[in-house]
Amino acid sequence: MQTQPKLLLNTAVTTFKNKLNFPLTKKGITILQINLGKRCNLACTHCHVEASPKRTEELSAEICEQLISLIHRFPEIQIVDLTGGAPEMNYGFKPLVEAARATGKQVIVRSNLTIYFEDGFADLPEYFTQHQVRIVASLPCYLADNVDKMRGAGVFDSSVKGLQWLNQLGYGKEPNLTLDLVFNPQLPTDEKFSLAPEQTNLERDYKMFLQEHFNIVFNNLFTITNLPVGRTKIHLERRKLYTSYLQFLESHFNPSTVEHLMCRDQLSIDYLGNVYDCDFNQMMNLPAKNCNGETLTVSNLLEAGSLDLISEIETAAYCYGCTGGCGSSCGGALLES
């Protein structure tokens, strides 16, 4: 794990745009990531969406229909990535899954695993199996105490039961039933910051531990750096760690990651139909813009008949979290160590 002692720098963080010294532009769009809303059965301490059972924001019927039209009209979209909140709890979840699968696209569902045990959602594992949905499940540690500290009491046990249920249905075993896990570091309480551990070695440790203790198997582990957004930002600010954490991330900037950044081939859509370059920009209300500087919506994409309306990717200081060390994305590390 990469660590660094207390930083003594008092200088401001370099703007990410100045660090690059060139415009960050899109490649061809192949991924449509949709945040269906902020409703969730959990309220995790590191959640950049600030989702919880008390949140009510979710997709509308009108925006859902626009998104289904988008999925049907653009064959270059290869992956529809559904997130939240707990995406399964929010309006439009199943219609979007079925529209994407009907057009031959891969569907990713970012699941917290515990939702399967809530009233009204026990059909989800079998539903996922039927539609060959790829599950990317949050399990920020393989130790119960660490998971429950981040996600709530009893969440680890429920997550284990959820994983065992998915294994029984063939997930992690059958070639069309992919089950991936996501690791997040613990939130820092002092200036001994760290990036995520090396992904390949940590994946091996996860697989050995979960197999030995719970007879659980899975496909891939994704390591994701905590970006200072949402509840993570609030946590850092309360402890007066926000600026020093950004400086830490900047100090580990790796220019080799830039070519592989997730914002370059995806569009992120919120429950209101607004378009962003990534989910983090979405949570920080930094919308994508066209060449005229106008913000974009799903309706604009449909009217233009194109996904390629963004002139330059919007960046901010938290982009250092995606470019530090081996890089970080919704699909884990960007580079091998």
Side-chain angles (χ1 to χ4, degrees):
M1 181 181 295
Q2 301 179 55
T3 61
Q4 181 164 310
K6 180 177 178 179
L7 292 172
L8 301 178
L9 297 174
N10 293 317
T11 56
V13 176
T14 308
T15 64
F16 191 77
K17 190 172 183 178
N18 287 343
K19 177 72 76 172
L20 290 184
N21 203 29
F22 59 83
L24 187 61
T25 56
K26 292 283 192 187
K27 302 176 182 179
I29 300 299
T30 59
I31 301 172
L32 186 68
Q33 187 175 72
I34 304 169
N35 187 301
L36 280 75
K38 298 180 184 290
R39 295 177 62 206
C40 188
N41 59 312
L42 302 178
C44 301
T45 60
H46 64 298
C47 181
H48 69 282
V49 181
E50 300 182 62
S52 80
K54 296 180 180 180
R55 302 299 291 263
T56 59
E57 305 96 317
E58 65 178 335
L59 200 67
S60 68
E62 178 185 5
I63 301 303
C64 183
E65 287 304 313
Q66 290 180 4
L67 288 166
I68 289 172
S69 296
L70 202 71
I71 289 167
H72 280 280
R73 285 185 59 180
F74 294 100
E76 60 264 44
I77 298 173
Q78 299 172 13
I79 299 172
V80 176
D81 185 345
L82 302 178
T83 184
E88 305 98 325
M89 292 184 73
N90 290 276
Y91 179 86
F93 173 72
K94 288 184 177 179
L96 288 169
V97 169
E98 290 160 27
R101 294 301 293 139
T103 52
K105 306 181 194 306
Q106 182 185 77
V107 175
I108 294 174
V109 173
R110 298 191 179 269
S111 181
N112 65 32
L113 297 170
T114 67
I115 186 65
Y116 316 149
F117 303 101
E118 299 287 343
D119 289 344
F121 298 99
D123 68 315
L124 285 173
E126 285 79 9
Y127 179 84
F128 292 161
T129 305
Q130 176 188 352
H131 294 282
Q132 298 183 346
V133 169
R134 181 174 185 171
I135 300 172
V136 177
S138 180
L139 192 71
C141 185
Y142 52 73
L143 300 176
D145 288 348
N146 287 346
V147 172
D148 287 357
K149 182 178 178 181
M150 294 178 74
R151 314 198 69 198
V155 169
F156 181 80
D157 287 344
S158 294
S159 298
V160 165
K161 292 177 183 177
L163 290 170
Q164 291 170 334
W165 188 351
L166 293 170
N167 278 174
Q168 290 171 5
L169 294 170
Y171 269 97
K173 302 174 181 180
E174 301 295 331
N176 294 324
L177 298 176
T178 301
L179 174 61
D180 300 323
L181 302 183
V182 173
F183 166 88
N184 292 89
Q186 296 286 304
L187 294 181
T189 57
D190 55 36
E191 292 189 345
K192 294 180 181 179
F193 303 127
S194 64
L195 298 176
E198 198 281 323
Q199 185 168 279
T200 301
N201 290 337
L202 188 60
E203 178 180 291
R204 181 194 62 227
D205 294 344
Y206 260 71
K207 286 185 173 180
M208 290 177 59
F209 186 90
L210 293 176
Q211 174 75 60
E212 178 181 351
H213 291 271
F214 305 107
N215 198 31
I216 288 170
V217 297
F218 66 94
N219 295 99
N220 308 290
L221 179 73
F222 298 148
T223 57
I224 298 181
T225 297
N226 288 320
L227 267 67
V229 173
R231 290 198 186 113
T232 298
K233 181 183 181 186
I234 294 169
H235 170 94
L236 292 167
E237 288 176 335
R238 284 175 176 169
R239 290 160 180 79
K240 296 180 169 46
L241 296 172
Y242 176 69
T243 299
S244 54
Y245 184 62
L246 284 175
Q247 291 173 336
F248 165 78
L249 294 175
E250 181 188 356
S251 73
H252 285 83
F253 173 72
N254 183 351
S256 298
T257 62
V258 175
E259 175 68 18
H260 309 285
L261 288 173
M262 64 181 180
C263 56
R264 304 200 68 181
D265 61 359
Q266 77 164 25
L267 297 178
S268 174
I269 314 294
D270 71 7
Y271 61 92
L272 297 172
N274 299 308
V275 178
Y276 303 82
D277 292 304
C278 72
D279 193 45
F280 299 110
N281 279 0
Q282 183 182 143
M283 296 312 133
M284 295 300 288
N285 195 28
L286 188 61
K289 297 178 182 178
N290 64 17
C291 58
N292 296 320
E294 300 165 333
T295 58
L296 296 171
T297 65
V298 174
S299 179
N300 296 145
L301 301 177
L302 291 169
E303 290 171 6
S306 174
L307 301 177
D308 303 313
L309 303 182
I310 297 170
S311 56
E312 183 177 344
I313 294 170
E314 298 293 324
T315 61
Y318 49 79
C319 297
Y320 287 119
C322 293
T323 54
C326 292
S328 179
S329 75
C330 289
L334 301 175
L335 304 172
E336 295 182 3
S337 61

